[in-house]
Amino acid sequence: QVQLVESGGGLVQPGRSLRLSCAASGFTFSNYVMMWYRQAPGKERELVASIVRNGASTNYADSVKGRFTISRDDAKNTVYLQMNSLKAEDTAAYYCKATNWVYEYWGQGTQVTVSS
């Protein structure tokens, strides 16, 4: 059974940091591109960051470049999203996705709220 389980969300003040984790099981994690998406209330889901299968390449949305870092640990079947200098506009539900361009799997999401 395929599972992607996000964790690490919560309420944080502007300027602070959070690290999200997404633990995968039920498929060969190392063969999949991993992505983080987010969806704010009333907005479409947007791609935040992605990391290729061997971790050699990453990509980020312009809105998070320089503040967020995606990484993966294939030994732990886990992808991370380190979020620094958080802003109110980063408030959203964050989802991880695994894809090999044939199959794709989604997690259930974790809420991040940035507020003073």
Side-chain angles (χ1 to χ4, degrees):
Q1 180 183 359
V2 171
Q3 279 194 311
L4 291 173
V5 180
E6 300 98 333
S7 61
L11 173 64
V12 63
Q13 293 179 332
R16 302 299 291 269
S17 298
L18 278 177
R19 188 176 82 154
L20 305 183
S21 300
C22 173
S25 60
F27 62 98
T28 306
F29 179 81
S30 60
N31 287 347
Y32 282 68
V33 175
M34 298 302 298
M35 300 175 174
W36 283 98
Y37 284 75
R38 67 185 181 186
Q39 187 167 21
K43 295 188 177 181
E44 293 188 354
R45 191 171 293 190
E46 66 169 341
L47 177 62
V48 174
S50 63
I51 185 166
V52 299
R53 288 178 294 174
N54 59 5
S57 178
T58 57
N59 282 286
Y60 299 92
D62 288 343
S63 58
V64 306
K65 276 182 183 176
R67 300 188 299 121
F68 289 12
T69 302
I70 188 171
S71 62
R72 64 190 296 159
D73 186 339
D74 288 354
K76 295 183 178 179
N77 289 351
T78 301
V79 62
Y80 304 97
L81 186 68
Q82 177 67 42
M83 305 186 295
N84 299 330
S85 303
L86 283 161
K87 305 176 181 180
E89 50 263 44
D90 294 319
T91 295
Y94 284 72
Y95 301 87
C96 67
K97 185 177 92 169
T99 181
N100 65 356
W101 312 117
V102 176
Y103 301 104
E104 67 176 41
Y105 309 114
W106 288 88
Q108 83 291 345
T110 185
Q111 178 67 35
V112 172
T113 302
V114 184
S115 175
S116 54

